[in-house]
Amino acid sequence: KKNMQRVSMASAGARSCAVGAGSSRFCTKFTPTLAPPFHCFQTTAGWLPTGALSLTPSTRRFYAAGDSAAPKIPMALIKELREETGVGIMECKEALVATQGDVGKAVEVLLERSRQKALKKVGRSSTEGLIALALRPDLTEGLLLELNSETDFVSRVESFQNLVRNTAFEAMRRVSEVRGTSTPAGEPYDVPLDWLKQLQLPPTNANRPARSVADSISLVFGQVGENMVLRRAVHLTAPQNGAVGGFIQGTGGVPDVGSLAALVALQNVPQADIAATALLANSIARHVAGYNPQYLAPDELKTSDEKARSKELVLLEQDIHTADGPENVRDHLRKHGPSLAVQRFIRWECGEGLEKKKDDFAEAVQQQLHKHK
């Protein structure tokens, strides 16, 4: 309040604001499009017309035209909005003032702001991020999903981690809507990105509506301010008498997300304890993630050079580390079932295949110096 003085302006054509009796000052933030009568406030950033939204840190307040002060917003509402959107306290307060304390409408205000800001960053290099692994407890299906960001800093933000994980599990739950029967069991299915973006995620608050993946990404953008790209998703179902298992190199934060992951589909799984099968599938997937085999069996090798490197390139020719020491993968599978075999494996590394931008610090300094010449 010490930084604010309310003054009245007689018409939209006026070029000065009367401050007290017999004095005047120039209105540096004059907006002639406002219909008279309207009011201006003097702030640390200059004169602001009523109804204008200032994002300057010292003037983060919204004033409705004709009101002498912003309506009082209970801290409980600000806390609720912040928990739902993750944006700053002052931005939450601005949105609540603009919507007269309606949390639902305030979310939409913040969402629209994030969309507009995100549009300005579309196309920026996004080669970091996270992968999420979703598995059915009964080992009948699994799904991998990758969401990219500009820097690895974002991958440590909990809201980003939750977004990737929640999207993966909801996509696995509903992917049958688009998968159909054209892709055989045990074979990977590339989930359509357009469908994924429109997928509705369950709300974290029972009183709030579901929100699409695209809108959820926009809300997280409001927190981190980086371009985010939903890059890919693949779904794998178990073949008859089979199982699907996986492994992910986690971040130590939210479970089921990380930077390196693998899925495997096993066939001819003996009728045994599902926990034992899950452990076996996990060990094979862990090996795939760590050793990066390129082929499943030797007959897939094409050149003489590849055949000479079969132990390096072929999964079934490699050794897996067990409690009893190194053991051939093929022999390790036979110990658990005479006909047990790997039908398919998938290995993902976050950002693989994307060209990572290399920053030249010296060049960046020169560019900044050139700007200020």
Side-chain angles (χ1 to χ4, degrees):
K1 290 183 180 179
K2 292 181 181 179
N3 293 328
M4 298 276 177
Q5 292 178 338
R6 184 179 181 185
V7 293
S8 297
M9 297 189 70
S11 66
R15 280 293 181 178
S16 64
C17 298
V19 184
S23 63
S24 64
R25 292 184 187 176
F26 182 67
C27 179
T28 59
K29 295 292 183 179
F30 174 71
T31 307
T33 56
L34 294 176
F38 65 97
H39 305 89
C40 284
F41 291 87
Q42 186 184 25
T43 73
T44 55
W47 291 100
L48 290 177
T50 307
L53 183 61
S54 171
L55 297 181
T56 308
S58 60
T59 56
R60 284 177 176 271
R61 293 193 176 118
F62 183 94
Y63 290 87
D67 290 344
S68 59
K72 299 292 184 182
I73 301 297
M75 282 304 298
L77 288 182
I78 297 176
K79 181 182 178 183
E80 180 182 348
L81 182 58
R82 178 167 166 73
E83 288 177 349
E84 183 167 347
T85 63
V87 303
I89 291 176
M90 294 310 298
E91 289 181 85
C92 290
K93 184 176 180 181
E94 289 170 3
L96 285 167
V97 172
T99 58
Q100 301 298 310
D102 189 314
V103 176
K105 292 180 180 178
V107 171
E108 297 305 318
V109 168
L110 294 173
L111 182 57
E112 183 57 31
R113 284 188 200 168
S114 293
R115 289 195 194 107
Q116 297 304 317
K117 291 178 183 178
L119 286 175
K120 298 177 182 179
K121 297 195 176 183
V122 170
R124 291 177 62 163
S125 177
S126 301
T127 58
E128 303 294 339
L130 285 173
I131 296 169
L133 167 67
L135 289 172
R136 287 278 187 190
D138 59 2
L139 309 183
T140 56
E141 60 180 322
L143 183 140
L144 292 177
L145 180 140
E146 181 178 351
L147 180 61
N148 296 127
S149 59
E150 295 180 47
T151 67
D152 61 354
F153 163 78
V154 173
S155 65
R156 298 191 289 272
V157 177
E158 186 176 353
S159 57
F160 182 82
Q161 296 176 358
N162 281 320
L163 172 60
V164 182
R165 183 182 188 277
N166 294 342
T167 301
F169 275 87
E170 186 64 15
M172 182 180 68
R173 190 178 73 85
R174 295 181 52 188
V175 71
S176 59
E177 298 174 8
V178 291
R179 176 168 178 142
T181 57
S182 58
T183 304
E187 295 298 319
Y189 170 73
D190 293 324
V191 182
L193 293 182
D194 288 340
W195 176 80
L196 263 179
K197 292 175 183 177
Q198 299 306 316
L199 183 68
Q200 299 291 305
L201 297 180
T204 55
N205 186 331
N207 297 323
R208 301 258 69 86
R211 201 171 305 282
S212 70
V213 170
D215 284 349
S216 299
I217 291 175
S218 294
L219 282 177
V220 174
F221 170 87
Q223 302 172 43
V224 300
E226 288 193 6
N227 183 41
M228 288 178 282
V229 178
L230 187 58
R231 184 186 180 195
R232 54 181 174 170
V234 64
H235 181 239
L236 190 64
T237 57
Q240 188 174 8
N241 299 322
V244 170
F247 164 80
I248 190 157
Q249 182 176 300
T251 62
V254 173
D256 306 314
V257 297
S259 57
L260 178 65
L263 274 176
V264 295
L266 303 178
Q267 56 185 356
N268 302 320
V269 176
Q271 299 297 321
D273 182 12
I274 193 169
T277 303
L279 190 62
L280 172 64
N282 174 264
S283 67
I284 300 297
R286 182 188 296 269
H287 175 86
V288 168
Y291 286 83
N292 192 20
Q294 303 298 303
Y295 302 102
L296 176 60
D299 56 10
E300 297 178 21
L301 298 171
K302 301 177 179 64
T303 66
S304 57
D305 177 62
E306 287 182 341
K307 292 177 181 178
R309 299 165 53 212
S310 63
K311 197 168 182 66
E312 176 187 346
L313 300 175
V314 179
L315 173 62
L316 297 180
E317 297 292 310
Q318 293 178 342
D319 289 340
I320 187 172
H321 292 279
T322 68
D324 301 323
E327 186 175 26
N328 177 264
V329 171
R330 195 195 304 269
D331 295 339
H332 182 66
L333 290 168
R334 286 174 179 167
K335 283 176 59 177
H336 293 80
S339 302
L340 181 62
V342 176
Q343 177 171 325
R344 177 73 64 174
F345 68 85
I346 302 168
R347 180 187 185 273
W348 277 10
E349 188 170 352
C350 189
E352 62 185 347
L354 298 176
E355 184 178 355
K356 297 196 175 185
K357 182 180 178 182
K358 295 182 179 179
D359 295 325
D360 188 327
F361 180 73
E363 182 182 350
V365 171
Q366 289 300 320
Q367 289 176 354
Q368 290 299 319
L369 290 174
H370 181 73
K371 278 183 181 180
H372 296 287
K373 280 185 178 179

